[in-house]
Amino acid sequence: MSSDNRTVSALGPLPKRRGWVAGSAASLAVIMLGLSSPALAVVSNPTYPDGMNTASMTADKCRATPSPKVFADRGDRCKGKVGPTGPTGDTGPTGPTGDTGPTGPTGDTGPTGPTGDTGPTGPTGDTGPTGPTGDTGPTGPTGDTGPTGPTGDTGPTGPTGDTGPTGPTATRRVVGDSAVVPPGEGRQLSAPCGVFDFVTGGGYSLTGPWPGEVLSMPDADAHSWIVVVTNLTASPVSVQTYALCTTS
């Protein structure tokens, strides 16, 4: 090989582009991955296409048999065109579940939702037991008098009562005794009704000053009215007695 048709690379001389692209795609992929990283890359065990004279590459600036060596990322001057994208590999196994992250802050309270419809009325519960009788409360104040109610209907006539005893037949006024009572003296006068009559009342009349003491009453048999006068004055006093008599 001659160096007139080769590309100079920091990785050493490479074969002509026609034979290199056909037989060294795998080696370029490894080298490109190493050079595309900001870190350092190690190239070892490169592969070459069949029939390639690797011995003649030792003197080439783009040799295909570089010794394992670390190259700085200075770019690849011998890199060919990027080949087509290979098929997607199988999906790898699912990795382990990571740790649960910290709880996030509580969000704002959402708006109140609309009031729901009223549910149906439930069945009536059983009647509870009667509670104990409470203490009697204090008497309240007397209320105002209500209006007078309407007059009630007239009641039926009651039965006729028994006939009562016969009353007195007549009452008459009897004029009894009269007298003049001197000063310092006393007198008893009467107004008799008779043996078969009874006194129902009586009295007297006076002429002159009030004598001082006067006693007026029926007698013990209720047949006469008695008047007793005591004159305590210095003048005489005239007395007249009366009785009310009835026949039994």
Side-chain angles (χ1 to χ4, degrees), residues 181 185-189 202-217 225-233 237-242:
V181 181
E185 297 184 7
R187 294 285 187 275
Q188 177 175 319
L189 297 90
Y204 59 90
S205 63
L206 299 175
T207 303
W210 174 250
E213 291 183 3
V214 177
L215 179 61
S216 179
M217 59 183 180
W225 191 262
I226 297 173
V227 177
V228 178
V229 178
T230 301
N231 187 1
L232 300 179
T233 69
V237 176
S238 297
V239 180
Q240 177 63 61
T241 61
Y242 300 94

Side-chain angles (χ1 to χ4, degrees), residues 10-30:
L11 299 177
L14 296 175
K16 286 185 178 181
R17 188 172 188 83
R18 181 175 62 251
W20 174 76
V21 171
S24 302
S27 298
L28 284 176
V30 173

